[in-house]
């Protein structure tokens, strides 16, 4: 951050305070402030960067859209959902106007907007946006991409919150298949998704399927070097289940 501040001072002196390079430096400072959870400071420098970029490039510019998205994320973190939504929508409109709808940045912003609807209680609108984002990601990135996996997880979790276990299981399983292909069977991503799947099977009373998923997740965690205490606790839970359900003891 101190280096950015020194660079900013030099740029302002030699280029002027309204030069696009000054906006770039302010954007870098905003990222650091954001990471530090210093949201007021981040918002201040992002707003300065936005003013410079609008003056230099006009309102319909991808750099302007990126800054609006960054401001939207900050406002979201602060619980200012209405203002955040306005920033996200303006950013998305610029992206669609300049680059078309079927590109990853549009899908990302859609997911941001969906998160706002989710937090404000409009689960149906959130789900519609997540599904639209998924369609865009598959078109723009292909089916075997980690962004697709992330959106599948978001959709599954909404279904899970709604108590729709069958639908949640479907999306987690689809995510799992992709994760196995792009990350490998011993990936921690696979283990985490298997845990979600195991929990759904447990809620559905499908003990054998739950044990299969949880046991595979435990084995992956063990191979990845997870702490012995955590492994012991997970193993103990599976052992307790096997005592109550002897038919699953061989799996455990």
């Amino acid at each position: 951050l101190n280096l950015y501040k020194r660079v900013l001072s030099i740029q302002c002196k030699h280029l002027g305070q309204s030069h696009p390079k000054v906006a770039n430096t302010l954007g870098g400072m905003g990222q650091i402030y954001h990471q530090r959870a210093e949201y007021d400071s981040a918002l201040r420098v992002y707003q300065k960067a936005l003013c410079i970029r609008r003056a230099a490039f006009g309102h319909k510019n991808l750099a302007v859209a990126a800054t609006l998205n960054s401001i939207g994320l900050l406002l979201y973190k602060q619980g200012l959902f209405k203002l955040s939504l306005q920033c996200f929508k303006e950013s998305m409109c610029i992206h669609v106007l300049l680059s078309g709808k079927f590109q990853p940045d549009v899908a990302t912003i859609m997911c941001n907007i969906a998160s706002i609807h989710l937090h404000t209680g409009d689960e149906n609108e959130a789900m519609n946006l997540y599904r639209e984002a998924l369609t865009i990601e598959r078109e723009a990135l292909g089916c075997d991409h980690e962004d697709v996996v992330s959106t599948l997880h978001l959709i599954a979790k909404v279904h899970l919150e709604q108590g729709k276990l069958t639908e949640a299981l479907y999306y987690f399983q689809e995510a799992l298949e992709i994760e196995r292909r792009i990350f490998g069977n011993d990936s921690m991503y696979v283990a985490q998704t298997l845990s979600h799947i195991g929990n759904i099977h447990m809620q559905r009373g499908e003990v054998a399927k739950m044990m299969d998923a949880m046991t595979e997740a435990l084995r992956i965690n063990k191979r990845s070097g997870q702490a012995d205490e955590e492994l012991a606790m997970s193993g103990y839970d599976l052992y307790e289940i096997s005592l109550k359900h002897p038919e699953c003891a061989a799996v455990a």
Side-chain angles (χ1 to χ4, degrees):
L1 183 58
N2 289 332
L3 179 59
Y4 271 123
K5 288 180 178 179
R6 289 200 295 271
V7 170
L8 181 64
S9 177
I10 295 169
Q11 287 175 330
C12 289
K13 180 179 180 180
H14 294 282
L15 301 174
Q17 295 184 1
S18 299
H19 196 280
K21 288 186 177 180
V22 171
N24 294 341
T25 302
L26 289 168
M29 291 170 63
Q31 290 178 356
I32 293 175
Y33 281 129
H34 193 163
Q35 290 167 1
R36 292 181 173 183
E38 297 177 22
Y39 299 137
D40 290 339
S41 296
L43 185 59
R44 185 180 68 253
V45 295
Y46 275 138
Q47 286 174 332
K48 287 181 181 179
L50 180 63
C51 290
I52 293 170
R53 284 168 172 164
R54 279 176 166 167
F57 307 124
H59 286 245
K60 306 301 181 184
N61 175 270
L62 291 178
V64 170
T67 310
L68 284 166
N69 187 61
S70 296
I71 292 172
L73 290 170
L74 282 170
L75 295 170
Y76 175 83
K77 288 283 184 67
Q78 294 175 305
L80 301 172
F81 298 132
K82 186 175 181 180
L83 293 173
S84 176
L85 185 61
Q86 290 174 359
C87 289
F88 286 143
K89 284 185 174 180
E90 186 178 352
S91 178
M92 186 169 70
C93 286
I94 295 170
H95 277 289
V96 172
L97 177 67
L98 298 179
S99 305
K101 181 178 179 180
F102 287 90
Q103 48 107 1
D105 286 331
V106 171
T108 298
I109 299 169
M110 276 188 180
C111 287
N112 292 340
I113 295 173
S115 296
I116 292 176
H117 286 295
L118 199 58
H119 277 276
T120 55
D122 193 349
E123 292 181 346
N124 290 331
E125 182 61 21
M127 183 63 80
N128 290 336
L129 287 164
Y130 282 141
R131 285 174 173 157
E132 190 171 359
L134 181 64
T135 299
I136 292 171
E137 287 166 344
R138 283 171 168 162
E139 178 73 20
L141 302 170
C143 292
D144 287 357
H145 193 279
E146 55 190 281
D147 286 0
V148 172
V149 170
S150 296
T151 306
L152 287 168
H153 274 270
L154 290 170
I155 294 172
K157 288 174 182 176
V158 174
H159 282 308
L160 200 57
E161 288 291 324
Q162 294 175 329
K164 299 178 180 179
L165 300 182
T166 300
E167 291 86 347
L169 181 61
Y170 172 83
Y171 284 99
F172 277 132
Q173 287 175 330
E174 187 173 353
L176 179 65
E177 291 175 6
I178 299 171
E179 286 166 338
R180 289 189 190 279
R181 288 196 294 270
I182 64 178
F183 299 124
N185 288 326
D186 289 338
S187 164
M188 290 300 297
Y189 295 107
V190 169
Q192 291 167 3
T193 305
L194 283 166
S195 294
H196 288 308
I197 290 171
N199 285 326
I200 292 175
H201 284 308
M202 182 169 62
Q203 292 180 59
R204 285 158 57 110
E206 298 166 345
V207 180
K209 291 181 179 180
M210 182 274 290
M211 292 290 284
D212 285 339
M214 291 297 197
T215 301
E216 185 179 355
L218 181 62
R219 288 169 180 161
I220 294 171
N221 289 333
K222 184 177 181 180
R223 286 195 291 268
S224 69
Q226 190 178 58
D228 290 341
E229 295 82 1
E230 296 177 3
L231 290 171
M233 183 61 70
S234 299
Y236 178 77
D237 291 340
L238 293 179
Y239 175 70
E240 285 288 297
I241 294 170
S242 72
L243 292 179
K244 295 177 182 178
H245 299 274
E247 71 276 11
C248 300
V251 174

